[in-house]
Amino acid sequence: MNIWEAIVLGIVQGLTEFLPVSSSGHIEIGTAIFGIQSEDNLLFSIVVHAATALSTIVIYRKDILQLIVELFKFQWNDSTKFVFQIALSIIPVGIVGVFFEDQVESFFGGRIMLVGSMLIITAALLAFTHFKRNNEGELTFPKAFVIGIAQAIAILPGISRSGATISTGLLLGIKKDVVTRFSFLMVLVPILGAAFLKLLDFLKTPEIASQVSATALSLGFLAAFVSGMAACQWMISIVRKGKLIYFAVYCLIVGIIAIFVSL
């Protein structure tokens, strides 16, 4: 992986982690285009996922600090309820990650036909939200768990995590600002957990480190962090304005192109 590939893929990761177009799907397409080896992709994936997690923390730093402070008051209030709803929501993705890791890994590795098909499903899900008008409901524990199931399904390359979780929340009638905040904060633990597991895999083969440029990794991290910050703020505005339909069209087009190219 050279410097320019790292920058491009870093930007792709940062943008697509938050915009509802599937980061995993775009990274799969990008690595296939550039012909990047899986070993390079493993270390790079750790770096850019850490970058996008950091961008989320920066954007929501006040919310995160408030949740931590309120949690350690050991009182049942809106903040502690929100934390427990997040904890409940990560159970499905945790189960998938722990017990079905091999099966999940089999979906990756240049399966562009699968990515294209899943992007079309993402497009359909985003399109459904365009017709949902009543979003004045509150976030409840059952709804948080359903959103968590959507996040687990979004492990598939081509299913957008933010698209799946936000769309599911909107279809459940949850307020736009609430479901967007929940979607971005609930992903912190899975992102950091996945990065940690990939780091353990990488440490098993440390000789790979000599094959990856520190400069390329650093620039990839910076590109993912900056683009992630921009995409996160942009996505908050997009959901408020109800403009997800445009991303449905984008996912449909890219999905069709991916399927066509794979043939």
Side-chain angles (χ1 to χ4, degrees), residues 54-166:
L54 181 60
S55 64
T56 306
I57 292 171
V58 171
I59 293 294
Y60 283 100
R61 59 190 181 280
K62 293 182 180 179
D63 297 73
I64 294 171
L65 180 60
Q66 179 186 358
L67 290 173
I68 293 173
V69 170
E70 293 294 325
L71 181 63
F72 282 95
K73 287 182 179 179
F74 300 104
Q75 298 174 351
W76 188 253
N77 50 43
D78 289 341
S79 293
T80 53
K81 179 181 177 182
F82 192 80
V83 171
F84 278 95
Q85 286 170 335
I86 289 177
L88 178 65
S89 73
I90 65 176
I91 290 176
V93 73
I95 292 173
V96 172
V98 172
F99 295 104
F100 301 97
E101 181 181 1
D102 293 339
Q103 289 86 343
V104 170
E105 289 295 329
S106 69
F107 293 122
F108 292 82
R111 299 183 63 177
I112 305 303
M113 172 70 80
L114 174 64
V115 172
S117 301
M118 295 302 103
L119 280 169
I120 292 175
I121 292 176
T122 295
L125 186 59
L126 293 172
F128 290 149
T129 66
H130 184 66
F131 303 100
K132 177 66 178 179
R133 299 302 180 189
N134 182 20
N135 291 100
E136 298 299 327
E138 298 297 329
L139 177 66
T140 63
F141 281 94
K143 290 179 180 179
F145 188 73
V146 172
I147 295 173
I149 294 174
Q151 177 170 248
I153 295 172
I155 288 178
L156 292 170
I159 299 291
S160 166
R161 191 211 63 82
S162 62
T165 54
I166 291 175

Side-chain angles (χ1 to χ4, degrees), residues 230-244:
C232 185
Q233 293 175 315
W234 187 18
M235 186 61 180
I236 293 170
S237 175
I238 288 169
V239 176
R240 284 176 182 160
K241 296 177 181 178
K243 302 297 184 181
L244 292 176

Side-chain angles (χ1 to χ4, degrees), residues 173-192:
I174 303 172
K175 295 177 182 177
K176 293 178 179 178
D177 287 344
V178 173
V179 74
T180 305
R181 176 173 176 253
F182 184 72
S183 172
F184 287 154
L185 291 179
M186 71 184 284
V187 76
L188 279 177
V189 174
I191 284 182
L192 293 174

